[in-house]
Amino acid sequence: MLFDALGTLVELDPPAPLLRRGLAQRLGLEISATEAEDAIAAEIAYYRAHLGEGRDRASLADLRRRCATALRAALPPAAHALELPALEEILLDALHFKAFADAPPALLAARRAGARVLVVSNWDVSLGDVLERLGLARLLDGVVTSAAAGSRKPDAKVFSQALALAAALPARALHVGDSLEEDVMGARAAGIRPVLVRRDGRPGPPGVMTISTLAQLRFG
């Protein structure tokens, strides 16, 4: 059993309000909700384009500095003189992840059914730390990030690395994720049966097994 991370097992609390609060409380800088949303959107876009560069602790630290730089550039002019280390801390504090309530039971059910359970995600190498903090790491047999694999979904290489780690054949694997392109198309390219998670209850495309909660997964 392979699982995507963000949108499948974990969710991100809205970061813009946390960014506003951090800037106001720690640096005395007041910005509007729209300004915070725009700055966070710019930072996320930069991170998504460069997440594969966070391959180890040193490169991750550099990536985070560059993300803070992208954030600062997108903030109002009054923020452009802010020191990067302080802004980076505020940014990281604004990125608050939590596990979906249905995630631990689904991982436990998969393990009890005898499956090896791994996470396959487009993320930097810090994903393991995130899953550890959320109490999910103990329920997993492995974590494969695109940064460590040198390949990002939908490329089949990252899935192949997960299969090798699990000592499993593609035909014996299932991948659960919330992205039609990255998870469904990627899994199919690797010969793995996909399950699409749409937590808003929308139907999936024809021929794609679609669920609205991980509690709908069946094992065995």
Side-chain angles (χ1 to χ4, degrees), residues 86-145:
L87 188 57
E88 183 181 331
E89 288 184 11
I90 291 171
L91 170 61
L92 292 176
D93 287 344
L95 301 177
H96 182 261
F97 297 96
K98 61 187 179 184
F100 284 110
D102 57 4
L107 298 178
L108 279 169
R111 293 180 67 85
R112 287 170 180 161
R116 290 180 62 81
V117 182
L118 293 89
V119 164
V120 181
S121 184
N122 287 344
W123 207 299
D124 62 63
V125 294
S126 70
L127 178 57
D129 296 335
V130 172
L131 297 172
E132 186 70 40
R133 287 196 302 271
L134 299 180
L136 299 180
R138 63 185 178 83
L139 304 176
L140 301 170
D141 295 298
V143 177
V144 177
T145 65

Side-chain angles (χ1 to χ4, degrees), residues 11-203:
E11 61 180 324
L12 176 66
D13 283 338
L18 298 177
L19 175 67
R20 287 186 75 199
R21 186 174 67 189
L23 289 172
Q25 292 180 349
R26 299 177 60 178
L27 299 179
L29 177 65
E30 299 283 350
I31 64 172
S32 70
T34 299
E35 288 169 336
E37 291 282 358
D38 290 345
I40 284 291
E43 186 279 331
I44 290 176
Y46 183 89
Y47 173 78
R48 290 283 297 173
H50 297 274
L51 63 88
E53 296 165 21
R55 298 177 297 273
D56 52 33
R57 294 302 172 186
S59 58
L60 176 61
D62 179 67
L63 174 60
R64 285 175 169 172
R65 281 192 295 271
R66 288 185 282 127
C67 285
T69 301
L71 177 73
R72 184 173 64 179
L75 285 167
H80 293 177
L82 295 178
E83 295 291 332
L84 274 181
L87 188 57
E88 183 181 331
E89 288 184 11
I90 291 171
L91 170 61
L92 292 176
D93 287 344
L95 301 177
H96 182 261
F97 297 96
K98 61 187 179 184
F100 284 110
D102 57 4
L107 298 178
L108 279 169
R111 293 180 67 85
R112 287 170 180 161
R116 290 180 62 81
V117 182
L118 293 89
V119 164
V120 181
S121 184
N122 287 344
W123 207 299
D124 62 63
V125 294
S126 70
L127 178 57
D129 296 335
V130 172
L131 297 172
E132 186 70 40
R133 287 196 302 271
L134 299 180
L136 299 180
R138 63 185 178 83
L139 304 176
L140 301 170
D141 295 298
V143 177
V144 177
T145 65
S146 56
S151 169
R152 64 191 297 165
K153 298 181 294 184
D155 187 76
K157 180 181 176 182
V158 66
F159 291 99
S160 297
Q161 289 202 19
L163 291 175
L165 186 60
L169 295 173
R172 301 275 294 170
L174 197 71
H175 176 69
V176 184
D178 68 310
S179 169
L180 188 58
E181 178 182 1
E182 295 178 358
D183 296 305
V184 173
M185 294 176 63
R188 282 180 167 172
I192 299 168
R193 185 159 59 99
V195 176
L196 179 64
V197 180
R198 284 196 165 164
R199 292 184 174 276
D200 58 6
R202 289 181 300 128

